[in-house]
Amino acid sequence: MTEKASVVVIGGGIVGTAIAYYLTIKGQRDVVVLEKNYLSSGSTGRCAGGIRQQWSEPSNVRLAMRSVRHFESFKKELGADIEYVQGGYLLLAFDEEEETLFRNNVEMQKKEGLEVSILSVDEVKKRFPYIVVDDVKSASFCPTDGHANPHLANFAYARAAKKNGAWIYTHTRALGIDVENGQITGVETDRGYIKTGVVVNAAGGFSRQVGLLAGVDIPTESYRHQIMVTEPLEHILDPMIISFSRNFYMRQTVSGNIMMGQGDEDEKPSFNHDPSWRFLTQMSKKMPGLFPFLEKVRVLRHWAGLYNMSPDAQPIIDKAEDVSDYYCAVGFSGHGFMLAPAVGEGLADWIIDGSPKEVDLSNLGLDRFTGEVKREKNVV
Amino acid sequence: MSRLVDHPIIEFRRGKEITFEFEGREISAFEGETIAAALHAEGIKFLRASPGRQRAQGFFCAIGKCSSCLMEVDGVPNVRTCITLVKDGMIVRRQKGKGEFGA
Amino acid sequence: MHSPDLLVIGAGPAGLSAAVEAASAGLDTVVVDEGVTAGGQLVKQTHKFFGNEGFFASVRGFEIARSLLEELVDFENVEIFQESSVIGVYEDGIPVLHLPSDTTRLFRPKRVVVATGASEKFLQFENNDLPGVYGAGAVQTLMNQFGIMPGKNVLMIGSGNIGLIVSYQLVQAGVNVKAIVEIADRIGGYEVHADKVKRLGIPVLLKHTVTRALGVESVEGAEICEVDEKFSPIPSTARELVVDTVCIAVGLNPSVELIAQAGGQIRYVAELGGYVPVRDEDMRATAEGFFVAGDVSGIEEATTAMIEGRIAGLSVVRDLKGSTDENKVSRLKKELVGFRNGPISARVREGLQKLGFDVSSGESRTGNLNNPQKYRGKLRPIIECFEAIPCNPCETSCPTGAIVVGGNINDVPVIDYDKCNGCGICMTKCPGLAIFMLQELPDEDSALIGIPYEFIPLPSKGDQVHLLGRQGEMLAEGTVQRVFRSPHKTNSVYVKTPLELADKVRSIRPVLQEDNAFVCRCEELTVSDIEAAIDEGYTDFEELRRKLRISMGPCGGRTCRLNALRILSRKTGKSIEELSFGVLRPPSIPSTLGSIARQKGAEDD
């Protein structure tokens, strides 16, 4: 293991490896990624892989649009097929409140340059005949949204970073971060000590704990979130389909499995990774009502991962106040995978050149939680 | 065809004789037999064409664990025919690829 | 909501035994089982079991299943659900899928006995996914449960007890077994089982393996090969056999998914068959409220499974009622120790030691200790049981007390020919079919040989038969002198042989008798696919799984996980113990959303 590094990234998920990748292609040498388990073992490997630009907050729309451009060129740039499909995201509205929200969102999103439109019930029925539209009022649809395989994307960033000279240490846990007079001096791991002046916290579900290693207080909390997947079927779903009021999302993977999940308001903050029967029961009762073909489809697997929630359900991408060169890219609140490319790019610029340059991270600072919190609404 | 009638140790008590359809062919079987067993008795071992490499596959474990006997039964794909009992009038098809649901 | 005192998962020998003990102590007991009928693997076993009479020795497997079940159905506090699979062990209950009705039912039992048994190992060779390549269990299901011939000509892979027993059963069903191939330099199973198939004329090819299945839509042949010291095939020795079935009997893996999901600690112990749950002598696993019994806790015999099942059942009783029949528990534990005492159980003992058990072994009597020559002219048994195996029906069935095994059930039998009256009962009782009858006839140049016979048609007096030797070699023709039908279906056929062949003839055959390698089936991954991914740098099982989707298919990794780990171990030089085992995600059986929505007896959420 190396004894010193220019930057130590803690967390080998999509965010950590994307940051490492962008650091190395911008010429940064001696970059280290520490992963306490294996690559994609945390939230990345457990997420649904959706890539969406339809958000209620303009800054999120911009960040997601920038990410989509990176996903579009991913194969060419990194030489890896990550099963990226732009089948669109269909947001179903079931009541007037949602209809109003979507109409306002679409207006704002269009201003940001996003190709997005409101579909009438008839249009939904015509384009997606497998949906029972009885209770659907309308929908918002963006054709350039989509999904990809998170593991493959995670592996691709890690391999590219490694090829460019980064060290990726899996099964290596960060135990402590030494800070002297506000300056980082090194990271203690269970496999040795690494001298460094720069640390990036990309620890996903464990961001708060990794913050405390350097005495930085990050207001995030982790919640269990569950996903189920069916047996593989021939291709049927193009878009990722999502509803906030009915509380679900669903997509079909390239290998044919239908993947779906929901939020659970009763979850308390925890590191619980165990799936529950209650989740499976609720989903099985709910989903075939809207998608009758699901009734006879078998569930193959389900699992749980952690949503690392910030108080406003938006990511925290910032540099700490009291510890210099302590960066964090955390609190993604369930949307880290889709935002990782743009965040990786911006944070790499910030570390190397002192500012995120073209990537607008201005609304995502640690200091925003002091006043009134404006919450992202488009969240399952 | 290959059903055992006499056996030195076991007495086979078979159920009622029934018929079902496989790829348009009428096949007789006995109640209490699994679909895969009834097909095997007729010499039919090729149960599905695998989705990836289009290979002929039949059952392997016969206890519903290995996924290689998935067939389309009465329009429903991915049925584990080695643990699903055959019924009179069933329509069984060799499954090609992943399951398709008439959406 | 159903909250029984005990939920038993699996109605094989272990599960049924646990249920009997719990039920007879008055516990409300639910048994769930995947099979159409209870009994697990027992229902497919047509051979007589070893062991001692307390545990059904010399009784055929399917008959043992029947008696255990009969014992159980008498209890009003027992419910048995067939065709029912546990979906998973969750923090909020244990849901069970009823396959025929496509519905689920949630249980919240006070205690659980996991008696899920084992699944078969899969073997890698080219075209191993071709229809007609079957696991030994599948062959038994077809043949012994449904009465359907698996094929006409079979190549058996593996000479452990299962390979030997299934080969014998195939011949009983009228199927030709072309050969048994064994990669090691000696037969894996009991000598008596091996002797049974050898004298049918089935060649056992040691240091051989199968390298390819041939055929387009189903098996039309198989290529076999000799192997070198490193078990690698020697290409120049390849030859083809015309067979329509390749039967794989290369061992079993304990089915630990559910105990792992329950949070029970799992350890890799090769001697016990792979990953096994950590547990104590009372069969208590490390997950709270969970017990294990039978093959899931280590691959062994039905007899040990039944003993473990009873211990688990009695331990549950102790847990819930504060006391149990401790005398019975200690007697059962003693039985287990005695059973595992012999050289046959050396590997199991090593495995148990790795789990922290203090396992004693004793000296067992072996070899040929009997001297029938002195009793020339007397009709008497010839006992060809020279290997120490845990078995004693010859002793317990002898009406005159002539045969003695003694306190160590692994000892070979010793016979006192002075006490023997020549009744021949021992010949029909011996589970290994290792006892023959001999009498030198007064004409001075011929002898009468009694042979245990379990085939059809049963010859009649006066029939001409071929006389075969221990390797199935043709020695002469002879005439049937007497035939005794046994209610246990091991019949006795006495033939006249030339005197000089008396110690050679051990089998008969009626005259005029008609004479690309996949690791993961779900995702269609071959050995080279996996090796390529490892070469690319995916050296953690979980990474490999995510990269290739291995073990993410409908089988839940049962066929591929350990094989993939073996390849990983071979490529990385790490032992399997060092490698991460990966996650065993529920559901353990793919279940439709509809079945989950249609829950019986569950509280509404």
Side-chain angles (χ1 to χ4, degrees):
Chain A
M1 199 161 102
T2 182
E3 286 173 4
K4 58 177 187 177
S6 65
V7 181
V8 171
V9 180
I10 300 176
I14 190 78
V15 173
T17 53
I19 293 166
Y21 167 74
Y22 281 104
L23 283 170
T24 58
I25 59 163
K26 289 171 196 291
Q28 187 70 38
R29 302 168 70 100
D30 303 330
V31 175
V32 161
V33 176
L34 299 178
E35 167 53 52
K36 72 178 154 93
N37 214 322
Y38 51 87
L39 293 174
S40 90
S41 58
S43 299
T44 300
R46 297 161 190 274
C47 81
I51 298 166
R52 152 160 79 106
Q53 301 157 97
Q54 301 177 70
W55 296 94
S56 71
E57 289 300 313
S59 58
N60 287 340
V61 177
R62 285 196 291 274
L63 202 58
M65 285 173 70
R66 194 169 182 93
S67 269
V68 165
R69 285 208 293 281
H70 288 306
F71 277 116
E72 284 167 343
S73 60
F74 199 102
K75 195 169 183 174
K76 205 172 145 207
E77 203 181 313
L78 283 99
D81 180 0
I82 58 167
E83 300 177 352
Y84 179 51
V85 177
Q86 284 181 295
Y89 245 74
L90 183 69
L91 278 56
L92 299 172
F94 287 90
D95 55 38
E96 275 180 29
E97 196 188 330
E98 274 192 312
E99 283 203 274
T100 313
L101 173 70
F102 289 2
R103 258 201 312 276
N104 293 340
N105 284 349
V106 165
E107 203 175 307
M108 173 274 288
Q109 289 157 359
K110 278 183 169 162
K111 268 188 210 153
E112 295 294 337
L114 186 66
E115 185 190 346
V116 59
S117 56
I118 295 285
L119 303 183
S120 70
V121 179
D122 284 345
E123 283 171 307
V124 171
K125 200 173 166 180
K126 212 171 128 198
R127 292 183 63 172
F128 312 103
Y130 40 81
I131 308 176
V132 172
V133 294
D134 298 0
D135 297 333
V136 175
K137 301 284 184 227
S138 64
S140 157
F141 183 73
C142 168
T144 55
D145 284 348
H147 53 79
N149 183 324
H151 311 299
L152 298 181
N154 197 167
F155 295 156
Y157 274 138
R159 291 165 162 269
K162 200 170 169 182
K163 205 172 142 201
N164 295 340
W167 288 292
I168 314 272
Y169 297 119
T170 56
H171 301 284
T172 308
R173 186 185 290 263
L175 300 173
I177 298 168
D178 287 338
V179 181
E180 280 168 31
N181 306 322
Q183 298 282 336
I184 294 169
T185 55
V187 177
E188 178 76 46
T189 81
D190 55 3
R191 286 174 56 195
Y193 193 84
I194 304 172
K195 279 189 210 163
T196 187
V198 184
V199 164
V200 182
N201 176 351
F206 303 92
S207 60
R208 179 161 221 159
Q209 289 63 37
V210 170
L212 293 174
L213 293 183
V216 178
D217 188 22
I218 301 169
T220 54
E221 277 186 315
S222 290
Y223 292 80
R224 175 171 70 167
H225 188 94
Q226 301 186 56
I227 291 184
M228 65 197 265
V229 70
T230 72
E231 61 195 352
L233 304 175
E234 290 297 335
H235 180 77
I236 167 167
L237 293 182
D238 285 322
M240 180 122 172
I241 303 171
I242 180 168
S243 160
F244 305 118
S245 60
R246 293 290 167 99
N247 183 23
F248 74 86
Y249 54 82
M250 167 164 116
R251 73 152 167 130
Q252 187 172 21
T253 65
V254 168
S255 49
N257 313 73
I258 304 217
M259 194 183 261
M260 41 200 145
Q262 66 166 10
D264 186 344
E265 285 186 349
D266 294 337
E267 281 291 338
K268 304 278 178 291
S270 79
F271 298 111
N272 185 358
H273 269 74
D274 297 327
S276 74
W277 178 242
R278 170 186 144 105
F279 163 79
L280 214 52
T281 305
Q282 289 175 343
M283 291 298 283
S284 298
K285 287 187 175 167
K286 171 166 66 183
M287 300 304 287
L290 274 169
F291 307 94
F293 74 95
L294 284 176
E295 155 90 22
K296 290 196 169 164
V297 177
R298 292 163 195 81
V299 181
L300 212 58
R301 246 177 3 264
H302 75 137
W303 61 85
L306 299 175
Y307 263 31
N308 190 235
M309 298 298 294
S310 72
D312 61 359
Q314 298 183 71
I316 302 171
I317 320 290
D318 204 357
K319 206 173 158 181
E321 189 99 321
D322 301 328
V323 179
S324 63
D325 293 318
Y326 185 94
Y327 295 85
C328 55
V330 299
F332 284 89
S333 308
H335 310 106
F337 174 65
M338 56 182 89
L339 299 176
V343 168
E345 179 195 12
L347 209 60
D349 279 333
W350 200 345
I351 293 166
I352 294 169
D353 296 327
S355 91
K357 290 186 178 166
E358 291 168 40
V359 186
D360 178 9
L361 301 173
S362 55
N363 293 335
L364 303 176
L366 271 164
D367 56 358
R368 72 184 190 266
F369 304 111
T370 46
E372 191 196 342
V373 172
K374 198 174 176 198
R375 199 179 156 88
E376 170 59 53
K377 295 185 188 73
N378 285 10
V379 179
V380 171
Chain B
M1 188 178 91
S2 62
R3 281 189 182 79
L4 295 163
V5 181
D6 297 317
H7 190 280
I9 310 294
I10 318 166
E11 277 173 56
F12 296 107
R13 291 194 196 92
R14 297 197 160 86
K16 207 176 85 192
E17 189 164 356
I18 53 167
T19 56
F20 71 104
E21 193 187 305
F22 169 72
E23 299 283 321
R25 212 175 116 186
E26 192 171 277
I27 290 184
S28 54
F30 294 94
E31 272 182 0
E33 289 179 346
T34 60
I35 297 168
L39 289 171
H40 194 283
E42 283 298 307
I44 299 157
K45 300 180 185 175
F46 170 19
L47 306 183
R48 71 153 184 174
S50 70
R53 308 184 191 211
Q54 274 85 47
R55 293 173 65 90
Q57 293 187 333
F59 67 85
F60 173 73
C61 76
I63 50 169
K65 303 289 183 201
C66 79
S67 85
S68 90
C69 67
L70 303 183
M71 299 181 81
E72 193 184 302
V73 177
D74 291 335
V76 178
N78 299 336
V79 173
R80 291 163 187 247
T81 55
C82 76
I83 53 166
T84 306
L85 298 181
V86 68
K87 289 201 187 94
D88 195 43
M90 246 181 189
I91 297 176
V92 177
R93 296 181 60 191
R94 197 170 265 153
Q95 186 168 320
K96 293 179 182 71
K98 295 166 189 168
E100 220 166 320
F101 275 90
Chain C
M1 171 53 51
H2 197 63
S3 309
D5 293 323
L6 172 63
L7 176 69
V8 177
I9 305 173
L16 290 176
S17 303
V20 167
E21 291 299 341
S24 53
L27 298 185
D28 284 333
T29 303
V30 170
V31 182
V32 296
D33 182 64
E34 292 193 320
V36 178
T37 51
Q41 296 304 303
L42 286 175
V43 299
K44 306 181 210 166
Q45 307 308 327
T46 57
H47 64 285
K48 294 183 289 192
F49 276 62
F50 296 103
N52 73 19
E53 59 183 348
F55 292 96
F56 305 103
S58 195
V59 180
R60 298 182 192 279
F62 64 97
E63 290 164 340
I64 300 177
R66 209 180 292 152
S67 344
L68 280 172
L69 198 59
E70 275 166 12
E71 206 177 331
L72 207 53
V73 292
D74 285 341
F75 292 106
E76 278 176 9
N77 49 336
V78 176
E79 255 188 299
I80 306 177
F81 295 92
Q82 293 302 143
E83 294 182 78
S84 298
S85 304
V86 169
I87 290 178
V89 177
Y90 294 90
E91 58 185 19
D92 45 355
I94 299 180
V96 175
L97 171 72
H98 182 241
L99 195 72
S101 65
D102 204 24
T103 56
T104 47
R105 190 187 286 265
L106 187 65
F107 291 101
R108 283 186 187 152
K110 295 195 183 82
R111 295 291 182 277
V112 180
V113 171
V114 178
T116 43
S119 59
E120 283 184 89
K121 289 180 183 167
F122 186 38
L123 185 71
Q124 279 66 63
F125 54 90
E126 203 177 323
N127 293 335
N128 59 356
D129 63 336
L130 202 58
V133 177
Y134 297 145
V139 164
Q140 286 191 309
T141 302
L142 260 188
M143 175 169 73
N144 296 342
Q145 202 170 347
F146 295 112
I148 292 166
M149 282 168 82
K152 292 194 175 76
N153 292 292
V154 176
L155 172 66
M156 178 66 63
I157 315 299
S159 74
N161 275 339
I162 294 178
L164 297 172
I165 289 168
V166 174
S167 296
Y168 183 77
Q169 292 174 352
L170 281 162
V171 178
Q172 284 183 311
V175 178
N176 181 25
V177 179
K178 281 256 172 161
I180 300 172
V181 297
E182 169 58 56
I183 199 158
D185 57 4
R186 57 187 186 88
I187 289 176
Y190 291 177
E191 272 176 18
V192 289
H193 279 317
D195 291 345
K196 262 161 61 178
V197 300
K198 282 190 201 162
R199 60 180 182 257
L200 295 173
I202 302 171
V204 182
L205 306 174
L206 300 176
K207 298 172 82 174
H208 273 72
T209 192
V210 60
T211 43
R212 195 148 61 110
L214 309 164
V216 183
E217 286 194 355
S218 66
V219 172
E220 292 159 27
E223 183 188 80
I224 60 170
C225 227
E226 274 183 58
V227 297
D228 61 21
E229 299 74 44
K230 289 173 182 161
F231 301 121
S232 300
I234 305 165
S236 61
T237 64
R239 63 186 166 115
E240 288 179 12
L241 297 177
V242 179
V243 292
D244 58 6
T245 307
V246 176
C247 180
I248 301 177
V250 294
L252 301 167
N253 293 136
S255 297
V256 296
E257 294 85 2
L258 296 176
I259 194 73
Q261 279 172 24
Q265 212 184 321
I266 303 294
R267 272 184 57 191
Y268 184 81
V269 182
E271 294 83 357
L272 295 176
Y275 288 94
V276 291
V278 174
R279 45 94 176 174
D280 67 13
E281 282 188 329
D282 290 324
M283 307 311 296
R284 184 192 296 273
T286 58
E288 205 192 324
F290 280 77
F291 295 78
V292 293
D295 273 355
V296 68
S297 68
I299 306 300
E300 254 184 294
E301 299 258 343
T303 312
T304 48
M306 286 185 274
I307 303 175
E308 287 184 346
R310 287 187 187 267
I311 294 174
L314 290 164
S315 304
V316 170
V317 172
R318 185 194 296 120
D319 249 30
L320 294 179
K321 301 187 78 172
S323 68
T324 195
D325 185 344
E326 298 294 351
N327 287 335
K328 196 168 185 182
V329 173
S330 50
R331 201 167 66 237
L332 288 164
K333 286 181 181 170
K334 230 175 113 187
E335 298 261 19
L336 264 187
V337 171
F339 200 90
R340 290 171 175 153
N341 182 37
I344 285 294
S345 304
R347 259 176 81 78
V348 168
R349 286 199 301 272
E350 256 176 73
L352 291 171
Q353 264 159 4
K354 286 192 183 170
L355 283 180
F357 293 105
D358 180 23
V359 193
S360 70
S361 68
E363 287 292 304
S364 296
R365 199 163 66 208
T366 59
N368 188 4
L369 304 171
N370 298 310
N371 191 2
Q373 282 73 29
K374 284 205 304 194
Y375 296 83
R376 224 180 135 82
K378 177 174 175 161
L379 180 62
R380 60 208 189 275
I382 305 298
I383 303 178
E384 301 198 341
C385 173
F386 310 132
E387 184 184 36
I389 54 175
C391 184
N392 68 3
C394 52
E395 175 180 34
T396 53
S397 70
C398 179
T400 64
I403 303 176
V404 175
V405 172
N408 178 4
I409 195 173
N410 284 285
D411 280 350
V412 298
V414 174
I415 181 165
D416 178 349
Y417 284 114
D418 287 325
K419 284 189 188 167
C420 173
N421 67 1
C423 69
I425 290 176
C426 53
M427 179 168 84
T428 69
K429 283 283 184 178
C430 173
L433 302 187
I435 301 181
F436 306 86
M437 298 299 287
L438 164 69
Q439 183 177 29
E440 296 80 1
L441 294 174
D443 62 16
E444 293 290 325
D445 55 20
S446 62
L448 192 65
I449 297 287
I451 285 165
Y453 197 73
E454 295 186 329
F455 300 95
I456 49 170
L458 183 65
S460 310
K461 187 177 171 180
D463 284 0
Q464 278 296 105
V465 292
H466 292 298
L467 305 176
L468 310 178
R470 291 190 179 84
Q471 308 297 320
E473 72 278 21
M474 202 88 78
L475 296 170
E477 274 192 24
T479 316
V480 175
Q481 304 293 312
R482 297 177 215 164
V483 177
F484 296 114
R485 284 178 182 273
S486 150
H488 312 294
K489 311 233 168 124
T490 303
N491 302 309
S492 316
V493 177
Y494 286 83
V495 292
K496 195 172 164 181
T497 73
L499 187 62
E500 68 273 18
L501 294 179
D503 65 346
K504 294 203 171 78
V505 172
R506 291 297 177 265
S507 180
I508 55 165
R509 182 187 297 156
V511 174
L512 295 179
Q513 193 186 329
E514 276 179 63
D515 281 317
N516 254 10
F518 284 85
V519 176
C520 164
R521 301 174 78 94
C522 302
E523 301 291 339
E524 298 177 64
L525 297 168
T526 62
V527 174
S528 45
D529 290 334
I530 290 166
E531 287 179 343
I534 297 169
D535 289 339
E536 267 186 66
Y538 297 96
T539 52
D540 189 290
F541 178 71
E542 282 295 322
E543 285 176 9
L544 209 54
R545 181 165 172 243
R546 282 159 170 74
K547 164 76 178 166
L548 294 174
R549 309 185 46 76
I550 190 158
S551 93
M552 286 191 179
C555 89
R558 280 179 186 81
T559 45
C560 55
R561 187 183 295 265
L562 195 52
N563 286 321
L565 281 168
R566 284 214 182 87
I567 296 170
L568 195 57
S569 162
R570 191 181 74 223
K571 297 280 288 184
T572 59
K574 284 186 195 168
S575 70
I576 292 187
E577 288 88 335
E578 286 173 83
L579 293 168
S580 144
F581 168 61
V583 187
L584 290 163
R585 298 206 192 282
S588 293
I589 179 157
S591 312
T592 63
L593 277 81
S595 76
I596 295 167
R598 287 187 296 279
Q599 284 185 38
K600 289 178 183 164
E603 297 157 333
D604 232 20
D605 272 294

